[in-house]
Structures are given as C-alpha cells and as structure tokens.
Amino acid sequence: MLIPAFQLHLNEKIQRAQASIGRFDGQVPSLACATVGGKVFLHQPHHQGVGNDNQISYLNINKQISAVVAGRLAGSKDVLLVGTPSNLQCYDVELNRDLFYKDVNDGVNVCIVGPFGNSEGPLAIVGGNCSIQGFGADGGEKFWTVTGDNVSAMAFCDVDQDGRNELLVGSDDFDVRIFVGEDVIAEVPEADQFVALAAVVGSRFGYALVNGTIGMYDRLDRVWRVKSKHSVCAIASYDLDGDGLPELISGWGNGRMEVRRADTGEVVYRDHLTGPVAAILRADYRNDGLEQVVVCGVEGEVRGYLPVDLDVAPGVAAEADFTEQQQAVAELAQRKQELMYELASYSNMRAQQASKEAPSERSSLIPADTRVDSYIAINKDTASCDLVLKTSSEQAVIRGVVVFGEQIFEEESLFVYPKNPDVQLAVPLKPLKDVSVVLMIKVLVGGRTATAFHVFELEIELPKFALYAAVDKGAYPEPASSVTFTVSERIPRMCAWVESRFNLQASAAGRNDTLEAYFLCLRDRTPLGVKAVPNGGSVQITLRTDNMDMAGELVGDLAAYLGTTELAAVADFPVAMKAFKEVLNAVDEHNITRLRMNADMADASNAVKQLVIKAEDARILGDMKAMRKYYRQLADMNRDLIAEHDKRATNHVALLESLKEVNQMIQRAARLRVGGAKSRVVSLCRAAIKNNNMAALFKIIREGDGPV
C-alpha cells in the first residue's frame, strides 16, 4: 500500500478527466479543474500573499466544459486550454485574458498539448466529432484530419522509436489509430470504447476501455491486459517503485488506485480514495524539485505520491515488501491447492486402473488417444459461422465448451452446455466486426454418463471475413457500387488472399488468368463481388459492394497482405454519394438557421437591455404602472429567449450529426486508398469544403488525387 506524500481536500467537485497542472506564471504550479456549473477552479497554493482561505479562484466559462488542459504553446509560461462542445478557449491565467477563442464546429472531446508533425512549435491537438485539429499559439489551424468516429482519448508516444512522437487516437468505433502527421500508419482494434491512452516507456503505451479493461501495447502487440467489474477513470505512467522503469497507474470508479508493472501487469502498489478517481497527473506540485504523481478524486480529494526510496521512506518500503510477501504467499498457497487436487485425481485414476473389478458405467476414463478436431463452417440458416468440434472416439462425448474471443461475444466469452452430449458440437459465432481473432477453446470431454471430465485446450484462428458465405454468380443482385484499383501482383497471390481471409478454397473461382468470387455478408445480407483480371504486368481488382465501410476494410486488408504502401483507386458509389449530397444540403440548412437565430438572439438581447433600463428608470421615478409593464414585457421576452435557446440547441445537435457524417464520408473515401493517395484525399476534401466547391469534393471522393 502506498502512503501519500501530501493530501488535500479542496471541497470542490472535480469532473472526470478534466484536471491539469501548469505553471501559469512560469514559476509555481497551480491545479486547474473543471467543476459543476460550467466553471473552472484554480488551486494556487504557492502564490505569495495568498492565505489558506484564498487559494482557490474561479473562471466562469458558462458552458458545458469537455476538456481542461495546461500546456506551453509559446513563451516561458503555461496557458490554460478549455474545451466545450462548440469552441476552444486559450486563456492567460496570469494576465486574466484570452489569447484566442476558436469556434470548433466538430466540438472538443479531448485536448493535449505538444510538438507534432512538421510544426515549428507545440500545438494544441483537439479531438472532436470524427476529426482532429491542431492549433498554434496564435489560434491558427496548423493541422486537420479525420478519423473513424468520435475521439475519446489521445496521447503522444514514439511507437516506431524514430525519435519523434506519433499521435495515438482512440475513438468510439473501438479502434486506436496511430498518426504520423495526417497519415494513419497503423490501426489496432479493441473490444470497447476508449477512456484513456498513456505513453509508458519506449514504444509501449497503456490503454483503458469503458468495459473496465486496462492493458499495455508494445508497438502493435498487446503485452497484457486485465478486466475489472469496476469502471476505469484514468491512467498515467510513472516510476513509483524506483526500479528505473515506469509503471502503469490506473484510477477506478470505486476509488481504487493501482500501480502495475509495465512488462507483466502485476500489481505493485494499491491505495484507495474516498470517492471515484477523476484524474492522474504528473507534476512537481509541492515545488520542491521532486516530481510527484498527483491523483485527484471526484469529491475534491487530492493526493500526491513520491517514488519509494529506502533512504527517504524506509517505512513505506518495508510495508511494500511485506505486501509483496503476502501476495507471494497467497499465490503459493493457491498453487499448492491446485497441485494437491491434481495429485488426488491421478491417485483415483490409478486406483481404478489397478482394480480387478469391472469399470463402472460412470467412469470418466476415455481412450488415451482421444483428440478433439476443430474447424470453421458457414451456416446460412442461422446466419453465423459455426465453430465445429468433434472427438475422435465414439466413447468420448463433448459435455461443454468454453470459447474466449475478443470482439466476438459481448462479454468476450461463451459457455455452451449441450442438452444431449454427442461426439460433435457446433458453436454458432456471430462476430460483431470484421476482425481476425484467435479463439481460445476449452472442451470438456468425458464418457456419456461421466461426472468428471477431461479438458482439451485448443486454439483456432477465425478469418477476418469469416461471416461471408460464398454464393454462386447471379444468386443475388449485383451491387451497383464498386472500387477499382491496380496492384503489381499475380492472380495466384490474390487467390491466396481470398483463401486466408474468407475461409474459402479460391481454386474453384480462380484460375491462372482470372479470379471471380461472390459472397454474401451474413451480418447484414450485403452481397460482395471480388474480381481480378490481368492488366499488362499487373492485376486490376474490382470490389463490388454498396457498403463503403466494407470496401475500405477489404482494400486495407488486401494492401496489408500484399505489402502495398501506395494505392490509388476509383470509387463509384452512386447510392452513397446521393445520400452524401443530402447531408451536405442539411449542413447548409443548419448553418443558415444558426446564423439567422444568432442574429435574432442578438436583437432580442439588445431589446432586453433597453427594457431593463426603462424599468429601472420607471422605478426611480416612482412610476409603478410603467415599471410593471416593462417587467411583464421582460418576462415575455425571457420566455421567448428560452424557447429560442432550445431551438438553437436542437439545431446545433443536428448540425453536429451532419458534420459527423461529412467527416465519416471523407474517412471512408480515404480508406479506399493507401499511403500518399490516402492523405491527399483528406487534405483535398478539406480544401474543397472550405472553398464550398462541392463538384470538386465529389470528384475527389470518386477519383482520389489522380488516375489509377
């Protein structure tokens, strides 16, 4: 258990993930936190002449606050960045003035500060409604790109160890994307929405999910993960045990704080706050030259922790050693119990084999050479892909199966207990997404009347597009949409991709000179056609589907399989583009409505000011009749303003939803390309939207930045 180096009770609520520490005067640290009522409070314990009763000051934002970050954009002092669903405010705390105030149409969900890309100085990186923007010290937009869904977490980390930080972006579509500039160099799928991301050491970064999972990645490979029934609120990294390597620190909804080793996930220390954790920060908050881990609780509790040092805190070290010894003893006791149970089972089996009596009908023994075979089969009747398990002996039946697979089941595991056990069992699988997963299987096998079972552990890889059933040409209407591109490969290589990704023998559909295969996605009954024909020394590939997301998945997976780093394509999606045109019209209508309502609101505000002045003049003159008249008019106007505010809020929500669809369309168009062609599509689409050139926008989405 950790002992805090200091502990404070600020008597103010702290919103989750909305706290930061900065040196706003360039000298001493202050804590900035979002609290209730659209306010930010500043705890400034080191300011001269400030007593204990006056250490907290307030900033009235008067809007819903979505992000609070302190960072240095320019100069020698930190600035305070406050994000709301519609704008970003950069505030100079010392001079009490705004440095810039930017309207952000996509909203501010997350904000971080640091150098990124080719920028000359640090940027304020803002994650919003399917978009990421970067602002400089003057408020100018230096960076813009799109991502798959609403951004929920961001962090800087040098994943490829080239000496420059990449941008990690976690979004609501369960993916973490790694950006170098405007380019996505890698995507890692997870099982739920992201709560937080944190760089740990080298290429390792930690993550936290809504379902209570925390874990560690090294580049694109998961090192470990753990899952709790409690919700995780915040994560950070710091070397608290003094071994020279940072640990992953997590804060939870039940007030628990855990420190885990980066390499194994083993818990090193624990502590418990009186309420849920709001944020975990790193700063020299005591201003004594030693950096601390500062943990903020939702109820206003603040605790600071220093690394364990035998010379500085021998009592803490001794308690930590005792805790580790207790954990080791508990683990050994558990292992002893498991070994004793296993030994007893072996003894019983040996006694049965040595007995001269006939084996009991309830004996659990099965033939020694029994094995369990497994394979994946499409089941069109149940719209699923079945995991089929079969024993090699008629005397051995399957009594139960436990299957573990991320993004396959809502709770990541499934237990099947057949009513009539047999030598074969089919477990229906309906993957929530197109993702390649290694299924961990535990099969309980025993005699038909057995009460004890043998456990067979198996692994089988579920192909990424396993939920696509092969169909005959013409069995379903051919999709009107397609994406066409050329790769420098051979037809047999394409057949190998189809076999590995669709759980299909492509030899029936492919020959040496062409490949033609047709599928039906059992998830949504969407037809898909794959055609590859020689084109000079290359192969021209046409993917026919009306689903742009599906086409993007196929293009990205094929490019990764072939090792292709540059790929241009022509995309023809008439139905999607017609719907997109309606979305753009809706954006224009919502913007016109917003401008008109803003003008009406300004006129009403001026009228309110005039009525207040007239009412006060009447009161001073003693004209009660006129005063009552003006205040009645004020009450009526106030009621109208409230109604207009509700209309503005409704229009704003609709505008955000339409802008999200615009950003998602740009993302879909970009995912149909790879490499430079992909990034150029994003930048060209952005320029076309800024110039309100819809004809150019549609042309870019269709043709990219040039011919195939």
Side-chain angles (χ1 to χ4, degrees), residues 341-355 363-368 452-454:
Y341 180 79
E342 187 176 354
L343 180 61
S345 299
Y346 286 136
S347 299
N348 292 336
M349 291 178 62
R350 184 175 181 181
Q352 287 182 6
Q353 291 174 352
S355 175
S363 172
S364 62
L365 295 179
I366 62 175
F453 315 114
H454 296 263

Side-chain angles (χ1 to χ4, degrees), residues 381 550 655 659 661:
D381 295 333
M550 180 190 297
L655 176 60
L659 290 174
E661 293 183 27

Side-chain angles (χ1 to χ4, degrees), residues 156 295 472 594:
F156 292 118
V295 181
D472 296 330
R594 178 176 62 87

Side-chain angles (χ1 to χ4, degrees), residues 43-88:
H43 181 243
Q44 302 170 309
H46 303 291
H47 278 217
Q48 295 181 356
V50 176
N52 291 333
D53 296 335
N54 298 315
Q55 291 182 351
I56 293 182
S57 56
Y58 297 90
L59 302 174
N60 289 319
I61 307 300
N62 295 323
K63 290 185 179 181
Q64 177 188 344
I65 300 173
S66 55
V68 173
V69 177
R72 191 161 300 180
L73 290 178
S76 60
K77 61 183 181 181
D78 293 332
V79 297
L80 181 64
L81 295 159
V82 180
T84 72
S86 58
N87 53 61
L88 177 67

Side-chain angles (χ1 to χ4, degrees), residues 84-133:
T84 72
S86 58
N87 53 61
L88 177 67
Q89 178 180 359
C90 181
Y91 182 70
D92 188 322
V93 175
E94 185 184 28
L95 300 179
N96 190 27
R97 66 184 180 91
D98 286 342
L99 297 178
F100 64 79
Y101 187 89
K102 298 291 294 185
D103 288 332
V104 182
N105 291 331
D106 296 321
V108 179
N109 298 336
V110 190
C111 182
I112 58 176
V113 177
F116 179 64
N118 297 321
S119 62
E120 296 180 356
L123 298 179
I125 307 294
V126 171
N129 193 9
C130 300
S131 70
I132 305 166
Q133 292 176 265

Side-chain angles (χ1 to χ4, degrees), residues 174 189-193 209 211 222 225 406-407 410 412:
F174 305 175
E190 266 299 333
D192 209 334
Q193 298 175 2
L209 305 180
N211 63 4
R222 184 190 291 141
R225 70 166 188 148
E406 294 182 59
Q407 305 180 58
E410 291 186 2
E412 299 188 13

Side-chain angles (χ1 to χ4, degrees), residues 546 548 573-587 658 661-662 665 668 698:
D546 291 324
M548 287 189 73
F573 288 85
V575 177
M577 297 309 294
K578 181 179 179 181
F580 183 52
K581 186 175 182 180
E582 295 176 357
V583 170
L584 292 175
N585 292 335
V587 170
S658 298
E661 293 183 27
V662 172
M665 174 56 76
R668 293 186 186 106
F698 279 67

Side-chain angles (χ1 to χ4, degrees), residues 305-320:
Y305 301 90
L306 285 168
V308 173
D309 189 330
L310 293 178
D311 297 328
V312 177
V316 175
E319 184 173 354

